[in-house]
Amino acid sequence: MSEQSTPKTYRSIGTSPVRPDGIDKVTGRANYGADRHLPGMLHGKTLRSPHAHARIRSIDVSEAEKLPGVMAVVTGADFPHLQSAMEEAGESQIDVWDLARNVMARDKVLYHGHAVAAVAATSDAIAEAALAKIRVDYEVLTPVMDIEAAMADNAPLLHEEMRTQGLPAAADRASNVATVIKLARGDLAAGFAAADVVIEREFSTPTVHQGYIEPHAVVADCRENGQATLWCCTQGPFVVRTLTSKVLNWDVSRIKVIPSEIGGGFGAKTTVYQEPVAIMLSLKSGRPVKMVMNREEVFRATGPTSASRIRIKLGANRAGKIMAAEAELKYEAGAFKGSPVMPGCMCVFVSYEMQSFSITGYDVVVNKPKVAAYRAPGAPMAAFAMESMIDEMAHKLAIDPIQFRLDNAVREGSQAVYGPKFPAIGFEACLKQAESHPHYRAPLGANQGRGVAAGFWFNVGMQSSATVNVQEDGSAIVITASPDIGGSRASMALMASEELGIPYERINALVGDTETAGYCDVTGGSRTTFATGMAVIQASKDVIRQMRERAAKVWNVEIDQVSWVDGAAVPAAEVAAEKDLKPLSFAELARNAAHTGGPIAGRASLMAQGAGAGFGVHLCDVEVDPETGKVDIIRYTVIQDAGKAIHPAYVEGQLQGGAVQGIGWALNEEYVYNAQGVMENPAFLDYRMPVALDLPMIDAVIVEVPNPSHPYGVRGVGETPIVPPLGAVANAVHDATQVRFCHLPLNPPRVLAGLQAAGA
Amino acid sequence: MARVLLSSELQPLAGGVAELNLAAVDVRELFEQLRRHCPALAEHVQQHSALAIDGVIYQRPFAEPLAPDCEIYFIPRIAAG
């Protein structure tokens, strides 16, 4: 339901029509990454490291190459030698040395499952047999499997040349700490001295995976002219093109990327794994090559998100004002530098007014897969720690947890911990919605408890393009290169419909490739409805301008005597009366385009600026079984500021989906490693994600505080909803048990042990 | 004058100062002045930072106009998820 409305009324946006791709997806007709087949296509398979940390002494592929049906074998030696360099890669910078070595190991393997070699053969079975014939001589090294081990004195080093960045003076020796971050403001000692209550706790969260349904899949086809075409499931065809070209040291113009439908990504499909390998195998064999990961490979060899250790010290006065806060965040990056600890540092205190604070972050490499983005990267762990502290402080001060948050909440004009003052934001509105929601006052039963937690994400804009082609039957085609993960075809069509004034059903929204659509950054960062939508709005306005021009020509008047009203060109009153002119509809102008100057197509490309920050508040009720420690979610409500919901049902879906992923993170999910650094639960049977039967219906409340930088007020909505659940669940478990749990997941053994330790 | 307010992390790149006041009518001029007065800071922020002008975040600013007495912060560029 929508609790507030923007003053403007709309015809199309704010409605929830059926998604155009829905029937194909539920009937199995939609083509995903693994569905592509080409004549003569080979099957590619990857040999992966059996060790978490080892030096490669040699690789012998000769026996594999002799196997009948094997058409190509590649190792790291087949790829160009690249120097360490930070390169622009679509939406962020990436070290191409790291990327290339993550795609295919060279001198060292840095996690169990690291790619070592790959084979293309005429069948899956032959490719598997060939992998077994590749001989790799390893010098096995001690794996470094967690933050403490990685930061210990004399810890084994993953990268002998890596020096810690961000220290006051240049580091004089190698370390597993890639970067140290410091953010601070005010007089911390004076702030804590002025506090009446000071609490300090340490928290930890495990390595978790995004858990998308569709494994990574790619088909590569290299031609004699040196051009390569990739079909793959990705959140951004242009970023695949960029990153693949970096790894191969090719010009981007040699690679065309055609995105398939995508069965989930959540940030993790914004990088490359198999794509450069498939091209190299295709190049060597002269035939198309398909590579499809199985679930085990997805867990072992693609980027999960960081495990973390966070310490927070929080001080407040008896009146309920936060006086000072200190945080230390240590995030695992996996095998190569680049954890999301920076956004973690920026988010840990972001929801609250802070005069005095100090935040220190550590980016730490360990022998696990290199982390990849996951919804609001870095923020959920930070919010788990801080929202647990806020809950505890409110209880110590005997203040209602929502009131305590309201007393300290950032508002328009508040200075964020990362610097600037907030423009219009909806945090206070979300808290008030939570406070007045029937859920918050509903009675609880025995062994039940209620938790509250807040969350924030920046949201981003970045680059997008859109084309709107008018067809002679009065319909329009919208083309962008933003893959549709969360219903963006529908939201693009709704915005075009709103601007053009024609029905939603008359618009066909398509996802193009890197050669037929203009540049778009990834579908991620909660940017697509905001930024690509802005491009669609501008391209639609371009169509309207051309249609007004055509009408002006037909009527032999000036264009400024023609306006666009409800899907039609309308002459100004004086010329309409003088010449007896009637409005010309979109359909009439489209039908006659060939006679008035030719086809009509609108286009826009932009760098979208001013993405509006997203805030949310979650209410969670749990029931804890005191005999087993099992936690059941019995009621859950998500309240979030969407700015303006273009397609409210899909916004609700985003809020519900983010909450479910966060609940899984809180209750069950974790990578379980043995002493050798081998993940022991690389399948959904043992890596326990919530399914529909585990959860109640999640109520979603959309708050609309418009983003002033968007024509309709849109804010991104996809990431914020995964931020609060970890804290909301933990606070609810505390309410039910009076035991404060600081380490996730809250699975039955941990909860039972906590209850027994507390004598509960 | 645009007020450029520097985080504790960026202050060492600007000789330890927390605030710079620069006469610039747009972002292009702002960066020209930064390159002249604080080259290390200019290089760092152009590579790594987004810009907040009176609270509105510009992920990759170029020539955006600056109002007199506007408040500017450099913040790390946020990637997507």
Side-chain angles (χ1 to χ4, degrees):
Chain A
M1 59 180 178
S2 182
E3 294 289 337
Q4 294 180 356
S5 59
T6 45
K8 198 169 168 185
T9 56
Y10 298 102
R11 175 210 316 253
S12 298
I13 66 168
T15 64
S16 296
V18 171
R19 62 191 303 159
D21 50 322
I23 292 173
D24 278 359
K25 285 182 174 168
V26 299
T27 57
R29 279 200 300 261
N31 282 305
Y32 290 86
D35 293 329
R36 172 66 52 180
H37 298 279
L38 295 178
M41 192 175 74
L42 302 176
H43 301 262
K45 293 281 178 188
T46 303
L47 181 68
R48 299 188 179 279
S49 169
H51 307 294
H53 194 190
R55 208 175 301 283
I56 299 174
R57 291 196 189 103
S58 64
I59 304 177
D60 180 359
V61 301
S62 56
E63 292 302 312
E65 287 176 326
K66 288 177 194 164
L67 196 67
V70 170
M71 308 304 287
V73 181
V74 298
T75 68
D78 291 280
F79 289 82
H81 180 73
L82 303 171
Q83 298 296 320
S84 177
M86 300 304 289
E87 297 270 1
E88 295 292 333
E91 44 146 344
S92 60
Q93 291 190 323
I94 194 161
D95 190 326
V96 294
W97 191 95
D98 292 347
L99 178 67
R101 275 158 180 75
N102 196 37
V103 163
M104 187 63 73
R106 310 295 159 91
D107 51 340
K108 279 181 96 175
V109 288
L110 294 165
Y111 52 93
H112 179 264
H114 199 163
V116 175
V119 170
T122 50
S123 74
D124 268 352
I126 294 172
E128 291 280 5
L131 293 184
K133 290 184 175 295
I134 297 174
R135 297 282 167 257
V136 184
D137 182 16
Y138 292 103
E139 176 194 350
V140 179
L141 305 171
T142 305
V144 178
M145 297 309 298
D146 58 38
I147 289 164
E148 285 76 14
M151 294 180 76
D153 288 340
N154 302 318
L157 294 170
L158 274 75
H159 306 282
E160 285 81 2
E161 73 292 350
M162 194 168 83
R163 301 285 191 275
T164 306
Q165 303 296 305
L167 298 172
D172 60 359
R173 63 191 178 96
S175 167
N176 290 322
V177 178
T179 309
V180 176
I181 295 158
K182 283 287 287 186
L183 300 175
R185 188 189 304 152
D187 186 336
L188 197 66
F192 280 120
D196 297 308
V197 179
V198 176
I199 50 179
E200 184 169 4
R201 284 192 182 273
E202 282 198 33
F203 300 84
S204 69
T205 64
T207 305
V208 298
H209 198 273
Q210 298 81 352
Y212 34 86
I213 295 289
E214 184 197 17
H216 297 253
V218 60
V219 173
D221 187 13
C222 291
R223 296 297 172 92
E224 297 77 2
N225 62 3
Q227 297 293 121
T229 303
L230 287 174
W231 290 262
C232 59
C233 59
T234 174
Q235 292 178 239
F238 281 95
V239 80
V240 168
R241 187 182 70 163
T242 302
L243 296 179
T244 302
S245 73
K246 300 284 185 201
V247 172
L248 299 175
N249 202 18
W250 285 13
D251 291 338
V252 292
S253 58
R254 287 179 65 185
I255 303 170
K256 174 181 182 178
V257 180
I258 302 173
S260 66
E261 294 294 345
I262 178 169
F266 312 111
K269 290 177 181 168
T270 57
T271 187
V272 295
Y273 299 101
Q274 301 176 125
E275 290 79 0
V277 180
I279 284 187
M280 199 54 82
L281 287 169
S282 178
L283 195 67
K284 262 192 146 176
S285 65
R287 290 167 63 171
V289 175
K290 178 195 271 191
M291 301 185 81
V292 182
M293 287 191 189
N294 60 31
R295 181 61 56 189
E296 186 175 330
E297 288 179 294
V298 172
F299 274 115
R300 293 197 193 285
T302 68
T305 195
S306 304
S308 72
R309 294 198 72 88
I310 299 172
R311 181 186 60 81
I312 293 184
K313 182 178 173 186
L314 184 67
N317 66 15
R318 294 242 171 263
K321 290 299 286 184
I322 295 172
M323 304 305 292
E326 185 178 29
E328 185 180 73
L329 298 88
K330 298 170 182 171
Y331 281 24
E332 291 179 4
F336 299 94
K337 63 184 179 282
S339 76
V341 71
M342 175 61 90
C345 290
M346 294 165 75
C347 289
V348 65
F349 299 146
V350 73
S351 299
Y352 304 103
E353 295 266 15
M354 291 274 171
Q355 301 308 315
S356 303
F357 65 84
S358 171
I359 304 164
T360 309
Y362 298 87
D363 181 30
V364 185
V365 295
V366 295
N367 288 117
K368 295 181 182 177
K370 166 74 172 78
V371 299
Y374 183 17
R375 277 181 134 151
M381 312 81 133
F384 162 57
M386 184 57 176
E387 291 299 307
S388 297
M389 297 292 281
I390 289 284
D391 189 68
E392 185 169 355
M393 184 62 82
H395 281 93
K396 281 193 186 299
L397 295 171
I399 300 174
D400 173 84
I402 291 183
Q403 187 58 50
F404 183 61
R405 286 174 172 86
L406 277 166
D407 292 342
N408 292 281
V410 289
R411 295 168 169 80
E412 183 173 355
S414 298
Q415 188 175 12
V417 291
Y418 56 84
K421 294 191 175 87
F422 282 112
I425 52 174
F427 186 31
E428 187 178 12
C430 289
L431 285 167
K432 288 183 172 170
Q433 282 292 333
E435 194 177 35
S436 62
H437 196 285
H439 181 168
Y440 196 54
R441 307 286 171 203
L444 290 164
N447 300 317
Q448 295 180 353
R450 176 165 299 138
V452 181
F456 158 90
W457 186 248
F458 309 87
N459 301 322
V460 297
M462 306 196 297
Q463 301 174 89
S464 281
S465 305
T467 304
V468 178
N469 291 325
V470 176
Q471 305 198 90
E472 58 268 37
D473 64 357
S475 63
I477 297 174
V478 175
I479 304 169
T480 74
S482 292
D484 183 354
I485 303 182
S488 59
R489 285 185 182 91
S491 61
M492 297 305 130
L494 281 168
M495 287 184 270
S497 165
E498 187 69 46
E499 292 295 324
L500 299 173
I502 62 174
Y504 166 82
E505 294 75 15
R506 300 293 288 158
I507 294 170
N508 186 10
L510 305 177
V511 179
D513 60 59
T514 54
E515 292 188 356
T516 58
Y519 187 94
C520 281
D521 280 315
V522 295
T523 295
S526 301
R527 62 173 291 279
T528 302
T529 303
F530 171 75
T532 305
M534 213 186 279
V536 169
I537 293 167
Q538 290 190 13
S540 299
K541 288 184 187 298
D542 189 21
V543 167
I544 291 169
R545 179 189 56 75
Q546 294 174 56
M547 287 202 154
R548 287 173 54 230
E549 279 177 358
R550 301 297 174 91
K553 273 189 192 174
V554 170
W555 293 329
N556 198 21
V557 300
E558 297 298 320
I559 186 172
D560 58 7
Q561 293 176 305
V562 181
S563 55
W564 190 260
V565 181
D566 292 336
V570 178
E574 66 275 14
V575 295
E578 180 192 331
K579 299 190 172 193
D580 191 24
L581 302 177
K582 298 282 187 294
L584 285 170
S585 69
F586 183 95
E588 289 171 306
L589 289 161
R591 189 167 56 242
N592 293 321
H595 307 292
T596 60
I600 296 174
R603 192 173 187 286
S605 289
L606 51 80
M607 170 68 83
Q609 311 283 20
F615 283 89
V617 177
H618 291 201
L619 303 174
C620 173
D621 291 357
V622 299
E623 182 168 322
V624 182
D625 184 333
E627 292 186 3
T628 64
K630 183 172 186 291
V631 177
D632 285 311
I633 307 292
I634 55 173
R635 187 169 181 181
Y636 203 98
T637 302
V638 180
I639 300 150
Q640 188 174 315
D641 175 19
K644 173 65 189 171
I646 299 298
H647 189 298
Y650 294 165
V651 171
E652 288 180 10
Q654 289 287 333
L655 306 194
Q656 291 160 332
V660 170
Q661 287 187 304
I663 289 168
W665 199 337
L667 289 182
N668 289 105
E669 294 177 40
E670 65 177 324
Y671 275 43
V672 178
Y673 283 96
N674 67 19
Q676 286 72 46
V678 179
M679 185 189 182
E680 294 192 310
N681 58 335
F684 280 142
L685 188 63
D686 300 313
Y687 183 92
R688 181 75 168 83
M689 297 190 79
V691 297
L693 289 174
D694 293 319
L695 296 168
M697 180 63 188
I698 291 174
D699 189 15
V701 178
I702 301 169
V703 170
E704 294 188 325
V705 176
N707 170 14
S709 297
H710 187 275
Y712 304 144
V714 167
R715 297 174 193 273
V717 296
E719 293 178 275
T720 301
I722 201 174
V723 182
L726 289 65
V729 171
N731 291 340
V733 172
H734 173 265
D735 192 43
T737 64
Q738 302 307 303
V739 178
R740 179 67 60 187
F741 289 91
C742 300
H743 306 284
L744 299 182
L746 299 181
N747 54 24
R750 172 164 283 141
V751 172
L752 193 60
L755 295 179
Q756 289 168 347
Chain B
M1 299 283 270
R3 289 179 66 213
V4 180
L5 297 149
L6 300 175
S7 66
S8 54
E9 204 182 20
L10 294 179
Q11 288 170 20
L13 299 173
V17 301
E19 182 174 335
L20 298 165
N21 288 285
L22 301 172
V25 298
D26 59 26
V27 170
R28 187 170 18 210
E29 269 192 30
L30 182 87
F31 279 116
E32 280 171 14
Q33 296 212 30
L34 279 180
R35 277 192 291 273
R36 226 175 3 252
H37 300 301
C38 308
L41 175 67
E43 187 185 343
H44 178 88
V45 297
Q46 285 196 299
Q47 270 189 20
H48 302 293
S49 301
L51 191 67
I53 306 171
D54 288 333
V56 178
I57 295 176
Y58 295 80
Q59 192 81 352
R60 290 186 186 275
F62 172 53
E64 285 72 15
L66 299 176
D69 303 321
C70 66
E71 210 171 70
I72 291 173
Y73 286 88
F74 294 107
I75 60 174
R77 275 189 205 129
I78 301 301

